[in-house]
């Protein structure tokens, strides 16, 4: 994996470590690719948000930039009709399941969803799709953190962080549409043994876990 | 074990004893009762019980054994009676009374009761054999040869019919040669995707790690599929042998059966088989005395369809939720606990002994050039003869439905065939003559899947069918990736509103767009193939979608919200009250003419009255759209009031 | 769910007994949970805590596993578990009608347990008995070719058996 390779992203020549994921190579060089679930230190990427699609020359269809390692001579395009269509649909799906209340949201203006919408000219409304609000109770039992599962996009960054630097309180439970970030027995954060380090709020890209103001 | 002996010599010693007891058994009368889950569901164990009691009572020298299923599930409970001096005779549709009669009339008095015989196992003058059936001409048995004819819980039976000979032959070869032979046979994975098995083994062999695993994927989750269950229950040793050969070929010292939770009998029989094989020295520290060590364990699934996907299967064996992960790396390079792992389907492994015994060329003689061998299909739905069948690849759906399945049951007409389960599709009549193999089905918009075939008739609604499968995948989605978790949910929502009669004109286009994006954007094959039922029904049965959306009408009279039950006054028999009694919610009353009328407000559309109405009247009908019923009732009232005037 | 002190103790003891058969490697988690459920009928919170300790993982991850798979239950089941197959063949042959019939006789909805804990009613994806559709299971016994009247019959025979047991009558 050592050694540098030369690739192009949107025509721009870039030198990066061999095997470096395209997503990070692009971001390092000021080229934006939408993403929610990727964590640089995680060497087996979740690849779950499905927003970082790119085209690579010679590949039959768009692939996720977070899983694709750079190889000498690779030609990457971050935009194409197919990529834009997938990103638009994926984003619409996520927005259909995200309680949008930007006006009162602590993440307003620093939200990853707003950034994706702005960069790609997408709307925050789910468009063709119906809203699928999960109507779960908002948890404000913890001293410094507030958790609104209805805003959660299941990127898993909080769970990762909680296991690395926190108390290992957060995890995923259930499956399918009911999949959620929660605690043991779905106890409120205030009664869950959470250490209150608030690393999760730091990691959350969308304001589902946020510091109390 | 003596180091100078070859595996074949060791096996011969074991087999000699097995053959002796097999011959002994065949010298007296033997009753083999089909006791796989399908038979048990309709009373096979009770029938076996009666056989035993009567034999005991009448002091007949005969033995009763429980065997697996030979595929003629429609006729369960079934039993084969082997009486010296007679061909083996198979009796179907048994019940306790018939069993008692067979013991008395046949075993005691020597009358084989030909009127109850289904078929015989050898050519004779009075009973046709299974080969004389139309399906006999189509079927060819490579895997199911002994299913339903040997006791799956007795390793001696398997040994007596040549079992474990392929393993002994493999052990005499270089492992690389075994992989090469399987590769040369062109065997493709029968789990659905059709990946060449030999190549999978080669990938694993090439991996650097020394610790390797082989796993038999028996997480048969497709609704409508029961091939794997039947094989595991009917001939477990065959699969054990296949897995052992795979382990030897790739150099794995540890193997697993991953069996789904819903198959308790399969788990029990595989456990017994492993135990027996261990005792006979066929598994364990030195397989057939060769020094090659192999332990095999059973891992039970916990109820998650997605675990049929190999990376999810591995996750669950590692004690995690069954979430698929991005590939590469493929399990053959980094699988269970990060080690190179070969995962093969039950059917795939069941072909391996055949290939070892008969060679790659013989295997390739059957089937199509791209998909050699046979295919095993589970036939269910609106067929006369449901069950399991093994036919050469390249057989047409028409042959399977009409020759094997004997056509559509009742007075109904064929509409479609659902093949491949939730990842497959619904194919219409015009595709029936396509020879089926992996590639032709994909071209037609379905998928081989694991081989479940559900035949649908004109009473089955295609929109409802699509809704059913999306409801399934949506419930079984692991929820990890956006397109599957939310995409299938949205598709289901749209299909639900169409079946409720609230569909919108733009819904069909929206479904097509979402389907395309879910297929391209999902992480694993569960998500990627989830739209297939919708795509295929939209392609072939668009008119049904249109009827639901634009006319609020279900042409198949199936969607509950779009139908009403109605009693035809001119057909209703005044003296009959069957429907009134059958109604669980008291929605049916007699009017002043003693003609029965349904109170539409109260009716829960449970279908009971339609079933209860005696066939000579057939007065209860379904109508769509539902206000037709109200309209008709109004018409009747008006006509009556005019008559009165 | 609130357990009595005794029930809690039993759950902990049984779980420890079962867990002791597994070394700490995480591959043992699901088989151990399956055994716990076999013995206790469900996986209580105490068992999940014990398993977390045994396998050295956060309790929330055990909860994640238990809630991911259909098979695991967090509450005790009824003494008789009724499962109605909802596979393709059963669906097309009126599996829903069989489910509704059970709901009607048991007076509970799918996923619920009767107040006397006698029956719980569940759906199952496919038991592979498609040729006998529609199919229902009572405990481990598969009943094929179900009809609403067969549902009534099965229910009443269980009621009858129970009544006889209560009255202490043999057979």
């Amino acid at each position: 994996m050592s050694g540098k390779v030369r690739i192009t992203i949107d025509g721009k020549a870039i030198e990066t470590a061999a095997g470096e994921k395209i997503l990070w190579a692009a971001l390092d060089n000021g080229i934006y690719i939408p993403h929610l679930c990727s964590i640089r230190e995680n060497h087996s990427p979740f690849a779950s948000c499905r927003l970082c699609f790119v085209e690579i020359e010679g590949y039959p269809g768009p692939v996720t930039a977070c899983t694709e390692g750079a190889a000498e001579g690779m030609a990457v395009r971050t935009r194409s009709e197919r990529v834009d269509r997938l990103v638009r649909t994926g984003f619409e799906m996520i927005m259909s399941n995200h309680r949008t209340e930007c006006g009162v949201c602590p993440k307003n203006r620093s939200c990853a969803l707003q950034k994706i919408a702005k960069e790609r000219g997408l709307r925050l409304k789910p468009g063709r799709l119906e809203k699928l609000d999960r109507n779960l109770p908002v948890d404000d039992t913890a001293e410094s953190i507030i958790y609104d599962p209805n805003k959660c996009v299941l990127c898993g960054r909080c769970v990762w962080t909680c296991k690395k630097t926190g108390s290992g309180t957060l995890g995923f439970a259930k499956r399918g549409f009911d999949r959620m970030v929660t605690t043991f027995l779905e106890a409120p954060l205030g009664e869950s043994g959470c250490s209150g380090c608030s690393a999760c709020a730091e990691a959350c890209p969308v304001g589902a876990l946020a510091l109390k103001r | 074990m003596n180091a100078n002996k070859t595996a074949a010599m060791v096996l011969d010693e074991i087999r000699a004893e097995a053959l002796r007891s097999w011959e002994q058994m065949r010298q007296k009368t033997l009753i083999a009762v089909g006791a796989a889950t399908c038979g048990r569901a309709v009373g096979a164990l009770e029938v076996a019980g009666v056989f035993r009691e009567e034999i005991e009572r009448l002091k007949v020298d005969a033995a009763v054994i429980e065997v697996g299923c030979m595929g003629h599930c429609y006729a369960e409970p079934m039993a084969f009676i082997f009486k010296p001096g007679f061909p083996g005779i198979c009796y179907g549709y048994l019940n306790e009374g018939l069993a008692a009669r067979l013991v008395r009339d046949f075993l005691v008095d020597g009358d084989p009761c030909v009127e109850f015989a289904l078929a015989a196992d050898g050519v004779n003058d009075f009973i046709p054999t299974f080969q004389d059936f139309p399906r006999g001409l189509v079927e060819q048995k490579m895997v199911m040869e002994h299913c339903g004819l040997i006791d799956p819980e007795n390793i001696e039976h398997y040994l007596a019919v040549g079992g474990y000979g392929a393993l002994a032959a493999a052990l005499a070869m270089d492992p690389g040669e075994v992989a090469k032979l399987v590769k040369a046979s062109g065997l493709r994975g029968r789990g659905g995707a059709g990946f060449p098995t030999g190549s999978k083994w080669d990938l694993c062999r090439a991996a650097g790690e020394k610790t390797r695993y082989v796993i038999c994927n028996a997480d048969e989750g497709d609704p409508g599929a029961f091939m794997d269950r039947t094989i595991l229950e009917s001939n477990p040793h065959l699969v054990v042998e296949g897995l052992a050969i795979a382990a030897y070929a790739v150099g794995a010292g540890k193997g697993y059966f991953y069996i789904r939770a819903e198959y308790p009998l399969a788990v029990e029989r595989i456990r017994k088989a492993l135990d027996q094989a261990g005792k006979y020295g066929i598994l364990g520290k030195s397989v057939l005395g060769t020094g090659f060590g192999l332990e095999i364990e059973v891992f039970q699934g916990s109820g998650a369809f997605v675990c049929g996907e190999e990376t999810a299967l591995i996750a669950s064996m590692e004690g995690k939720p069954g979430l698929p992960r991005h590939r590469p790396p493929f399990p053959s390079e980094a699988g269970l606990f990060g080690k190179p792992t070969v995962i093969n389907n039950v059917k795939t492994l069941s072909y391996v002994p055949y290939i070892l015994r008969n060679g790659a060329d013989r295997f390739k003689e059957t089937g199509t050039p791209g998909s050699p061998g046979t295919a095993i299909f589970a036939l269910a739905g609106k067929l006369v003869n449901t069950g399991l069948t093994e036919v050469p690849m390249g057989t047409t759906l028409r042959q399977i439905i009409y020759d094997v399945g004997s056509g559509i049951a009742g007075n109904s007409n064929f509409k479609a065939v659902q093949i491949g389960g939730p990842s497959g599709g619904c194919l219409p009549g015009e595709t029936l003559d396509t020879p089926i193999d992996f590639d032709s089905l994909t071209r037609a918009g379905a998928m081989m899947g694991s081989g479940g075939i559900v035949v649908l008739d004109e009473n089955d609604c295609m929109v409802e069918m699509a809704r059913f499968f999306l409801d399934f995948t949506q419930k079984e989605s692991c929820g990890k990736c956006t397109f599957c978790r939310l995409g299938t949910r949205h598709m289901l929502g749209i299909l639900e509103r169409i079946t409720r009669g609230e569909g919108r004109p733009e819904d069909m286009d929206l479904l097509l767009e979402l389907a395309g994006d879910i297929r391209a954007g999902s992480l694993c094959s569960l998500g990627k193939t989830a739209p297939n039922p919708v795509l295929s029904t939209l392609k072939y049965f668009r008119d049904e979608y249109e009827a639901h959306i634009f006319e609020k009408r279900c042409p198949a009279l199936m969607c509950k919200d779009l139908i009403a039950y109605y009693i035809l006054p001119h057909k209703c028999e005044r003296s009959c009250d069957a429907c009134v009694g059958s109604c669980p919610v008291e929605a049916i009353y007699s009017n002043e003419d003693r003609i029965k009328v349904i109170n539409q407000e109260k009716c829960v559309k449970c279908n009971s009255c339609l079933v209860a109405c005696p066939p000579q009247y057939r007065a209860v009908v379904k109508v769509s759209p539902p206000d037709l019923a109200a309209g008709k009732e109004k018409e009747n009232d008006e006509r009556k009031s005019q008559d009165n005037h | 769910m609130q357990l009595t002190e005794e029930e809690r103790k039993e759950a902990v003891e049984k779980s420890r007994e079962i867990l002791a058969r597994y070394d700490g490697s995480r591959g043992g988690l699901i088989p151990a949970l399956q055994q716990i459920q076999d013995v206790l009928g469900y996986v209580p919170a105490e068992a999940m805590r014990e398993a977390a300790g045994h396998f050295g993982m956060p309790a929330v991850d055990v909860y994640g596993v238990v809630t991911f798979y259909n098979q695991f239950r967090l509450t005790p089941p009824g003494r008789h578990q009724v499962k109605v197959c909802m596979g393709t063949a059963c669906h097309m042959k009126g599996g829903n009608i069989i489910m509704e019939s059970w709901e009607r006789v048991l007076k509970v909805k799918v996923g619920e347990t009767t107040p006397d804990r006698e029956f719980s009613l569940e759906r199952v994806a496919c038991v592979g008995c498609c040729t006998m559709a529609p199919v229902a299971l009572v405990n481990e016994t598969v009943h094929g070719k179900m009809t609403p009247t067969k549902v009534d019959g099965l229910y009443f025979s269980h009621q009858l058996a129970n009544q006889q047991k209560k009255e202490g009558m043999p057979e």
Side-chain angles (χ1 to χ4, degrees):
Chain A
M1 282 288 176
S2 61
K4 295 271 179 188
V5 292
R6 278 162 304 177
I7 62 171
T8 64
I9 303 182
D10 293 341
K12 185 176 171 183
I14 284 171
E15 203 181 63
T16 182
E20 175 69 289
K21 303 291 185 246
I22 299 298
L23 176 65
W24 305 114
L27 292 174
D28 285 349
N29 286 277
I31 299 168
Y32 182 75
I33 296 173
H35 61 104
L36 289 171
C37 69
S38 41
I39 299 167
R40 195 156 194 167
E41 305 80 68
N42 181 5
H43 295 295
S44 40
F46 304 138
S48 61
C49 75
R50 316 302 289 171
L51 291 176
C52 64
F53 283 106
V54 294
E55 299 265 6
I56 298 178
E57 209 176 272
Y59 284 36
V63 291
T64 43
C66 67
T67 54
E68 216 51 48
E72 182 62 36
M74 221 177 219
V76 181
R77 282 188 301 148
T78 62
R79 304 291 295 267
S80 75
E81 207 177 303
R82 292 189 297 186
V83 164
D84 287 356
R85 183 177 151 171
L86 281 179
V87 173
R88 174 181 157 225
T89 305
F91 189 68
E92 263 181 8
M93 285 176 183
I94 288 173
M95 293 316 294
S96 75
N97 194 224
H98 172 76
R99 190 175 278 177
T100 316
E101 42 181 32
C102 304
V104 295
C105 180
K107 270 279 177 186
N108 195 11
R109 288 170 203 281
S110 61
C111 171
L113 296 171
Q114 288 175 331
K115 181 166 171 76
I116 295 167
K118 186 162 162 264
E119 292 278 348
R120 290 292 165 101
L122 300 169
R123 299 190 316 147
L124 291 171
K125 293 221 166 63
R128 303 167 289 175
L129 306 177
E130 310 232 312
K131 199 87 186 173
L132 299 169
D133 199 313
R134 277 168 287 182
N135 277 317
L136 296 165
V138 176
D139 179 1
D140 61 355
T141 56
E143 203 170 307
S144 53
I145 312 162
I146 184 159
Y147 174 41
D148 182 354
N150 304 297
K151 287 186 189 166
C152 175
V153 294
L154 296 174
C155 69
R157 295 169 61 87
C158 55
V159 175
W160 171 273
T161 309
C162 187
K163 291 203 195 309
K164 289 282 159 190
T165 66
S167 42
T169 311
L170 292 178
F172 281 110
K174 304 190 180 169
R175 75 170 190 221
F177 184 71
D178 297 324
R179 182 166 154 89
M180 65 192 299
V181 169
T182 186
T183 62
F184 182 50
L185 304 176
E186 294 168 51
L189 278 172
E191 302 159 20
S192 67
C194 160
S195 67
C197 73
S198 68
C200 54
E202 205 87 359
C204 179
V206 300
L209 278 155
L211 288 173
K212 282 185 178 172
R213 273 181 290 192
Chain B
M1 286 286 171
N2 188 330
N4 299 325
K5 281 189 203 165
T6 64
M9 288 156 73
V10 174
L11 183 67
D12 278 344
E13 281 170 23
I14 302 171
R15 187 177 283 156
E17 180 57 33
L19 275 171
R20 257 196 303 281
S21 33
W22 173 263
E23 288 307 327
Q24 238 167 30
M25 182 184 79
R26 297 302 289 252
Q27 270 161 23
K28 61 178 189 175
T29 301
L30 178 71
I31 303 178
V33 182
T37 304
C38 46
R40 291 179 177 206
V42 283
L45 293 184
E46 287 77 3
V47 166
V50 170
F51 274 128
R52 287 197 186 97
E53 281 164 28
E54 289 301 293
I55 284 169
E56 172 83 2
R57 197 172 65 86
L58 299 171
K59 308 265 183 291
V60 183
D61 185 25
V64 178
I65 59 168
E66 287 168 20
V67 295
C69 169
M70 53 185 303
H72 292 254
C73 307
Y74 59 92
E76 296 282 7
M78 279 172 62
F80 244 111
I81 301 186
F82 300 93
K83 184 177 172 170
F86 287 88
I89 305 174
C90 181
Y91 299 88
Y93 309 102
L94 290 175
N95 52 45
E96 296 170 29
L98 202 50
R101 177 162 167 197
L102 283 171
V103 175
R104 199 176 56 232
D105 289 5
F106 186 19
L107 301 197
V108 179
D109 298 339
D111 166 14
C113 302
V114 191
E115 63 273 32
F116 301 116
L118 208 58
D121 76 336
V123 180
N124 64 84
D125 292 338
F126 50 103
I127 303 169
T129 67
F130 279 120
Q131 283 70 41
D132 297 330
F133 285 38
R135 71 188 279 177
L137 296 174
V138 187
E139 288 187 319
Q140 185 184 339
K141 297 194 171 183
M142 287 183 172
V143 164
M144 291 179 58
E145 192 184 352
H146 300 296
C147 288
L149 296 170
I150 58 171
D151 182 350
E153 301 195 3
N154 188 341
I155 190 172
E156 292 197 334
H157 285 201
Y158 185 65
L159 288 167
V161 297
Y164 290 110
L167 175 62
L171 291 166
M173 295 162 70
D174 177 71
E177 291 297 312
V178 178
K180 216 166 133 189
L181 176 64
V182 171
K183 202 171 176 181
S185 75
L187 175 64
R188 293 174 70 175
R190 297 302 202 257
F195 191 80
T197 306
S199 305
K200 220 182 205 180
W201 291 9
D202 272 348
L203 273 177
C204 182
R205 286 173 47 78
E209 288 268 1
K210 278 284 154 275
T211 310
R212 294 173 192 162
Y213 299 106
V214 287
I215 300 172
C216 171
N217 185 349
D219 193 49
E220 182 176 53
D222 285 14
F226 49 90
M227 302 76 56
D228 296 355
R229 173 185 66 69
T230 307
I231 296 169
L232 294 171
E233 288 178 357
S234 305
N235 199 355
H237 284 286
L238 177 70
V239 198
V240 172
E241 185 175 5
L243 187 63
I245 295 170
Y248 177 71
V250 304
K254 178 100 201 195
Y256 293 92
F257 276 91
Y258 189 102
I259 308 179
R260 74 192 278 254
E262 291 82 350
Y263 288 174
L265 186 61
V267 171
E268 188 187 317
R269 289 198 168 154
I270 285 291
R271 284 215 168 112
K272 271 193 190 147
L274 293 175
D275 199 38
Q276 292 171 351
K279 285 195 181 119
Y280 276 72
I282 295 168
L283 294 176
K285 290 210 168 62
S286 174
V287 172
L288 289 172
T290 55
F292 164 65
L294 175 63
E295 299 288 340
I296 301 181
E297 257 182 59
V298 172
F299 190 98
Q300 269 187 276
S302 309
F305 172 69
V306 67
C307 288
E309 200 279 343
E310 47 185 29
T311 58
L313 182 148
I314 287 172
S316 83
M317 290 182 67
E318 290 173 345
K320 300 174 195 160
L323 303 178
R325 63 159 173 78
H326 179 81
R327 296 184 304 186
F330 289 91
S332 334
E333 304 153 69
L336 186 62
F337 306 118
K339 308 293 182 198
T341 305
V342 162
I343 304 175
N344 285 141
N345 169 269
V346 171
K347 291 175 289 306
T348 315
L349 291 170
S350 305
Y351 286 103
V352 171
Y354 181 93
I355 294 167
L356 263 290
R357 275 199 308 272
N358 301 290
D361 290 336
R362 177 81 183 281
F363 180 74
K364 279 196 290 195
E365 279 168 18
T366 303
T368 61
S371 308
T374 58
I376 301 172
F377 293 107
L379 302 178
K382 309 289 175 67
L383 278 177
V384 176
N385 292 345
T386 52
L388 207 66
T389 188
E390 183 173 0
V391 295
M393 286 275 186
T395 305
T396 64
L397 278 171
R398 186 180 304 283
Q399 287 173 297
I400 293 174
I401 292 169
Y402 290 94
D403 293 344
V404 178
S406 303
I408 307 301
N411 295 317
S412 192
N413 290 310
F414 172 87
K415 184 193 266 182
V417 46
Q418 206 290 329
I419 178 162
S423 357
C426 290
L427 302 179
E430 59 260 34
T431 59
L432 284 186
D433 292 313
T434 324
I436 34 180
D437 62 23
F438 287 104
D439 311 310
S440 67
L441 278 179
T442 311
R443 276 195 300 275
M447 206 175 124
M448 184 77 111
S450 53
I453 289 183
V454 181
V455 176
L456 308 171
D457 68 7
E458 54 201 359
N459 301 313
D460 295 321
C461 170
M462 292 296 120
V463 188
E464 167 57 21
M465 199 67 206
R467 189 208 61 77
F468 167 78
F469 279 114
L470 260 292
D471 181 57
F472 178 85
T473 29
Q474 191 271 132
K475 282 198 176 87
E476 294 294 337
S477 165
C478 79
K480 180 176 174 179
C481 89
T482 304
F483 281 88
C484 182
R485 177 180 78 249
L486 298 170
T488 56
R489 181 78 173 196
H490 281 295
M491 285 185 98
L492 174 64
I494 296 165
L495 289 165
E496 278 176 352
R497 74 179 177 234
I498 296 177
T499 55
R500 274 201 311 268
E502 295 159 14
R504 303 166 195 163
E506 67 272 20
D507 277 349
M508 285 184 287
D509 286 339
L510 182 52
L511 280 173
L512 282 175
E513 285 170 27
L514 285 175
D517 291 344
I518 294 169
R519 183 182 261 185
S522 294
L523 172 64
C524 83
S525 51
L526 186 147
K528 284 183 193 295
T529 57
N532 285 351
V534 179
L535 286 169
S536 62
T537 47
L538 263 172
K539 179 173 170 188
Y540 295 117
F541 302 97
R542 198 179 174 93
D543 54 324
E544 292 198 29
Y545 281 83
E546 285 166 352
H548 283 74
I549 295 172
F550 298 112
E551 301 166 41
K552 313 296 172 205
R553 180 172 69 84
C554 174
L557 302 172
M558 190 179 193
C559 295
K560 248 185 165 183
D561 289 307
L562 296 183
I563 58 163
Y565 285 79
Y566 176 68
I567 299 174
L568 298 166
H570 62 282
K571 287 198 164 180
C572 179
E573 167 57 48
R574 290 185 167 81
S575 64
C576 167
D577 269 344
C579 58
V580 179
S582 77
C583 180
V585 292
E586 296 173 10
I588 307 180
Y589 60 94
S590 280
N591 69 10
E592 58 269 40
D593 300 328
R594 291 171 52 215
I595 296 294
K596 267 59 72 185
V597 183
I598 298 174
N599 179 340
Q600 299 294 341
E601 300 282 297
K602 276 188 176 177
C603 175
V604 293
K605 303 177 187 176
C606 73
N607 208 47
S608 298
C609 53
L610 196 145
V611 175
C613 184
Q616 62 268 39
Y617 309 135
R618 285 190 207 285
V620 184
V621 294
K622 294 189 270 188
V623 292
S624 179
D627 34 353
L628 269 183
K632 280 194 176 154
E633 264 150 30
K634 210 164 154 197
E635 244 172 63
N636 293 338
D637 287 348
E638 276 163 13
R639 197 178 312 134
K640 218 161 59 194
S641 63
Q642 275 169 9
D643 290 350
N644 289 349
H645 281 297
Chain C
M1 215 190 60
Q2 286 299 316
L3 299 182
T4 62
E5 186 53 32
E6 205 168 306
E7 284 171 323
R8 209 190 60 78
K9 225 175 111 193
E10 192 206 357
V12 171
E13 269 168 23
K14 287 266 156 57
S15 306
R16 282 188 186 157
E17 203 181 297
I18 290 163
L19 287 164
R21 294 172 213 158
Y22 294 86
D23 64 24
S25 67
R26 191 163 163 183
L29 175 65
I30 289 176
L33 291 171
Q34 286 169 338
Q35 285 205 358
I36 288 172
Q37 175 153 305
D38 277 349
V39 171
L40 298 173
Y42 70 116
V43 186
E46 281 69 18
M48 287 189 261
R49 273 197 204 96
E50 290 297 324
H54 184 84
F55 292 104
M57 57 195 281
V60 66
D61 289 350
V62 180
Y63 183 73
V65 166
V66 171
T67 54
F68 184 87
Y69 296 99
N70 288 340
Q71 191 192 23
F72 294 118
R73 31 171 75 251
L74 294 161
T75 51
R79 273 177 285 278
H80 302 291
Q81 292 172 47
V82 177
K83 294 176 192 154
V84 181
C85 180
M86 289 289 164
T88 319
C90 290
H91 179 71
M92 289 335 234
K93 289 199 172 175
N96 276 325
I97 291 170
I98 303 307
M99 180 61 92
E100 283 163 19
S101 306
W102 278 111
E103 289 182 335
R104 221 164 31 237
V105 299
L106 299 177
K107 299 188 182 67
V108 291
K109 292 273 160 227
V110 56
E112 294 176 352
T113 303
T114 53
D116 60 2
R117 294 226 158 276
E118 201 55 37
F119 287 94
S120 47
L121 181 61
E122 285 164 40
R123 52 183 299 148
V124 45
C126 179
V127 293
C129 280
C130 313
T131 54
M132 305 300 162
V135 164
L137 286 86
V138 180
N139 298 327
E140 295 287 303
T141 314
V142 182
H143 298 274
K145 299 182 181 166
M146 290 296 295
T147 60
T149 26
K150 248 178 150 172
V151 171
D152 291 345
L154 283 171
Y155 177 68
F156 286 124
S157 63
H158 273 281
Q159 293 299 88
L160 203 64
N162 264 353
Q163 204 178 341
Q164 284 170 345
K165 217 188 283 167
K166 255 185 230 154
E167 290 165 5
M169 275 166 33
E171 285 300 290

